[in-house]
Amino acid sequence: MRVVSTSGNSGKPASNLFSNDRCIIRQQLQSCIQPNISGNTSLSSPIVLGVDAGGTFTDFVCVEFKQPIAIKIHKALSTPAAPEQAILEGIRAMGLESVMKNGDLRIIHGSTVATNAVLEAKGAKTVFVTNYGFADMLQLARQTRPQLYQLEFEAVAPPVAPELCLQTGGRLAADGSVLEPLSASELRQLIAEIKAIDPDAVAINLLFSFIDDSFEKAICEAIADAGLRAFVSRSSQVLPEYKEYERGIATWLNASLGPIVGRYLRALQQQLGKSTLQIIQSSGETIDASQAEDFAVNLLLSGPAGGLIAVEYLAAQLGLEKIISFDMGGTSTDVALVDGEISTTNEGSIAQYPIAVSMVDMHSIGAGGGSIAVIDSGGMLQVGPRSAGADPGPACYGKGGTEATVTDANLVLGRLVPELALAGGLRLNLRLALTAIQNLADKTELTAVQVAEGIVSVANEHMAKAIRLISVNRGHDPREFILSSFGGAGGLHVCALAEAMSMRRAIVPVHGGVFSALGMVVANRGRQFSKTLGLETGRCDDAELGFEFDTLEQIGRQQLALEGLSADSLTARRTVDIRYIGQSYALNVAWTNRQEAMAAFQQLHRRRYGYIHRGATELVTLRVSVVFENPGFVLPAVSVESSCNKLDPLMVYDDAVKRKIVTTSSLRPGEEVVGPAVISEYSSTTFVASGWSAQRDRLGNILLEKTRP
């Protein structure tokens, strides 16, 4: 994403954007916080709609590229059984149905379909094909315990049942030489075994196929010639890198998810008519829906990646470089660190599986507004990772949920306003929330309010731990960063988390409740490619490496050409994974030549691990990112509905403190709100804790600053 210009705060740090004026406002008029979603709005092309389908809510951001830029937002409860229903309902609610039918709507979608299929073990029936003697590769995994000091733990079912793991010839050595050929009789036998199983998908993962993929291609051709209708993935295409287990997991996931993702996207595209549909990938770039099925494993962080793209986009407009992002939705929380630019990783994970494909460097935990609180057998309060989701949702939703959640706790503590309807016309029921919390309190010697405070504190500690993992544990001082909190529930916890990390500044972005959907609108189109070489850096030749880079880049340009993008509109970024020989893990640095790459590696190694040494190094893997950069746009200045201002402090349940209720639509830029206060808007709520102040900048962001201990 490239921002065409900056505006709003002239690049000043957030701490310098505060005025001394104070404003104590209360607002209870629902019309003041509802977005303009009139169905008769006349929109002209180009119109881009970002859609983030989460576990609890589905978020929409529509941008009409005209002068001035027009932005509309919408939020609706998700329909997990059929995610496309919530999307189509949202399109109708925003008055975009006719635009969609005319083919004038471009939709960028972040989907949890692939993620949910993995977490719920509902992938397609998949056969796993590998070399003789390696059928149990995925079951043996890395032989590591889930918890270092836990000597006994529950057995985990293998990813692929033993009867679905098939063996054949075509084995290569580490140098690419043939140890076992693949004969015609072996191919016939393999095809017969696959036919007998009749799977939905086939994953092919032969040893060292990233050096020579001819044997894997031969199996693919044999499956096609036999007329088998199974979806086929081969490791030399999905992840041409070393580490056979990680490559096998990626290939199996891609195969098992492909049919599910494909069915969903085809059904959605059919409903969307002529309008174009793109899917955001885990790496933060978008891919055309027609190609996404073949790269399903790249969609596992589809939604959260949009939030991080939005953080980078907003930071560019505010002149910020160091941001820790904190995205708290209804089901999970995702944290990441941006130091100048978004970092990607090939060491991510989903559930118990390593995900070695490129994805934004993000840590996710099962802590969200819908996280369920319980008293365990030892009398301890536990929060998450189990979530109430969208159906039945937290008890306060009034949809049948009875278990206490983080949202219920925030409502009991007065940090949510039951008098005001939330997205989708949802109204929170304080009585139901209090009943759920009281059920837990009855198991302790605490009051309902004390239990609610405990639920919020435990959830905050889970999230603070996640932030430490991506900051302190990697050599970053959180005090040098600004905490950017978004997601429907993020603003309720932002001050507490900032204090836990000794951070004095925070920002709740404009449209923070639908921020990931905004990121999808500004995301670039692109692809990520890699190839393992395993060369000692002292023997690397820049020209030879340049040829390898050129080959990967050309593949990327060809794939993006299928989306109608010209070659001269694309840019490529080259990086390499380097490590000291003998190490298990490598660090990724930019590549221009060997000398500059080595200098960058040593600098990063010292920052990450605290030392460098003179040992020989190895260039492990080449990586190429090919992207089409969207031109971007500047966020428009906010308007203020001054008629909504009303002064009247609201008494919080069972609390002597009177907290102010403020709506963002009535808060003029520069006016200061002193905590404790609640800032309410259509898509999210921000709790300004005691000792903090908040104000709104001209773009609509809520800037928070610690004013006293």
Side-chain angles (χ1 to χ4, degrees), residues 38-332:
S38 171
N40 58 10
T41 302
S42 177
L43 299 175
S44 60
S45 185
I47 302 172
V48 183
L49 179 67
V51 181
D52 177 26
T56 305
F57 284 98
T58 296
D59 303 334
F60 302 82
V61 171
C62 179
V63 178
E64 183 179 358
F65 287 87
K66 63 179 184 179
Q67 291 300 327
I69 290 288
I71 300 178
K72 297 197 303 182
I73 67 172
H74 184 63
K75 199 175 185 77
L77 285 171
S78 295
T79 51
E84 66 275 11
Q85 291 181 6
I87 296 174
L88 296 172
E89 290 170 5
I91 290 174
R92 285 192 290 268
M94 298 185 77
L96 297 172
E97 193 170 18
S98 61
V99 179
M100 177 192 73
K101 291 180 178 179
N102 293 335
D104 295 328
L105 190 63
R106 184 163 70 91
I107 301 170
I108 300 98
H109 178 25
S111 172
T112 59
V113 170
T115 308
N116 292 341
V118 174
L119 296 178
E120 298 171 9
K122 293 182 178 179
K125 181 181 179 182
T126 304
V127 161
F128 182 74
V129 178
T130 188
N131 294 111
Y132 293 122
F134 290 85
D136 54 0
M137 175 193 302
L138 300 186
Q139 183 175 358
L140 292 175
R142 286 295 175 196
Q143 294 287 283
T144 55
R145 295 195 298 270
Q147 299 293 331
L148 182 60
Y149 298 107
Q150 184 178 352
L151 300 182
E152 296 181 2
F153 45 86
E154 293 183 7
V156 178
V160 182
E163 61 271 20
L164 298 180
C165 295
L166 306 181
Q167 304 174 80
T168 189
R171 179 176 174 179
L172 300 178
D175 60 359
S177 60
V178 177
L179 293 180
E180 295 175 352
L182 179 62
S183 66
S185 61
E186 287 173 320
L187 272 178
R188 287 193 296 271
Q189 180 181 350
L190 178 63
I191 297 302
E193 292 175 340
I194 295 175
K195 281 185 176 180
I197 295 173
D198 189 25
D200 297 313
V202 177
I204 307 169
N205 183 45
L206 303 184
L207 296 182
F208 298 105
S209 59
F210 56 86
I211 299 176
D212 182 352
D213 62 359
S214 57
F215 290 138
E216 288 195 347
K217 285 183 174 179
I219 295 174
C220 285
E221 293 171 0
I223 292 173
D225 293 341
L228 300 181
R229 302 183 64 179
F231 179 87
V232 180
S233 289
R234 56 183 175 89
S235 68
S236 51
Q237 184 177 39
V238 174
L239 188 68
E241 299 182 21
Y242 82 123
K243 295 185 177 180
E244 69 280 358
Y245 168 64
E246 285 78 4
R247 189 171 72 254
I249 286 291
T251 307
W252 160 67
L253 283 173
N254 197 72
S256 65
L257 296 175
I260 295 172
V261 170
R263 284 194 296 269
Y264 167 68
L265 293 180
R266 284 191 292 272
L268 178 58
Q269 183 67 76
Q270 185 176 13
Q271 297 288 334
L272 298 178
K274 298 179 182 179
S275 292
T276 61
L277 176 64
Q278 292 177 303
I279 309 300
I280 191 164
Q281 302 172 97
S282 301
S283 57
E285 298 99 3
T286 67
I287 183 173
D288 191 88
S290 62
Q291 300 185 49
E293 177 181 3
D294 294 330
F295 302 95
V297 72
N298 293 321
L299 307 181
L300 290 171
L301 280 186
S302 180
L308 203 50
I309 294 297
V311 169
E312 183 184 50
Y313 159 73
L314 181 65
Q317 298 203 26
L318 297 181
L320 303 174
E321 291 189 353
K322 293 179 176 288
I323 293 181
I324 292 176
S325 73
F326 156 59
D327 177 7
M328 184 179 181
T331 305
S332 63

